[in-house]
Amino acid sequence: MPRNPTVVRTVPALRRAVDALRARKATVALVPTMGALHDGHVSLVRLARRRAQRVVVSIFVNPTQFAPTEDFGSYPRTWKEDVAKLAAENVELIWHPEVKAMYPDGFATRIVPEGPATAGLEDRFRPHFFGGVATVVGKLFTQVRPDIAIFGEKDFQQLRVVTQMAADLDLGVKVIGSKTVRERDGLAMSSRNVYLSPDERRVAPTLNRVMKDTAARLRAGEDTAAAMAEGAAAITQAGFVLDYLEVRHATTLAPIGSLKDGPMRMLVAARLGTTRLIDNIAV
Ligand code: PAF
């Protein structure tokens, strides 16, 4: 029988609830989310459940990672459905703070991540983003004090940034990446896919198809620059405005010329109409 998770909205209530979960030294996993949960989030929760005895999910649409021109106001919020999905997974606790509980009046501290956060990928197009993510995730880690935290590989640069931050700041949390969950046609699941019109939705899987084809060409030993340029052209021809299609070192996110130079990750960001999609695959 699914059990309704406990929902807490203040830091003192969270601390009491997490202390109770930790009784008899139970291990705790945190899955940070902004809600609008889909099967990709459910797979994060399931991985958390396999790796720890208690699962806490945070649902907080974090204003500090959105630029004023972005979709903070219209970001999908589906609270009732989210709680039902988490109840079905027997999640013990939902941390759902008000903005004021996270950022009380007078809040004046921000984490400024470097390294993977300044790799020239998402940070080039969303300069505010990783400061906002690092600050809120740093707070979530110190509020919940989980043993492990699960993040999707879909936001690959974000995964690298929070992994680096947890290590650099000795936060005592092991960050674990979870494989991207895809629709049957290859489109990576994302809360923002609901913004796509039916025509855009038909075109959207092109991103994954082009990345797979281009990665196969690189594995076959083709010239990196030529294969990447053709991949970029195919994405543009399909109707996207391309922000970037790049291959990077899978750990440092530094530019990398060929597979001989280390593990490679291909990352893409492109806009279809007003919707911006990101994705990545291992090469
Ligand atoms: O990936 C997300 O949903 C958000 O960036 C996160 C990690 C929950 C921080 O707000």
Side-chain angles (χ1 to χ4, degrees), residues 32-34 41 58 60 62 65 75 129 133 136-137 140 151 155 158 162:
T33 81
M34 299 206 298
H41 296 108
S58 61
F60 179 63
N62 173 36
Q65 67 189 74
Y75 193 83
F129 180 66
V133 167
V136 79
V137 171
L140 291 169
F151 289 81
D155 292 288
Q158 169 176 277
V162 295

Side-chain angles (χ1 to χ4, degrees), residues 186-198:
L187 176 65
M189 287 194 184
S190 163
S191 305
R192 289 189 167 103
N193 289 351
V194 295
Y195 298 153
L196 296 168
S197 70

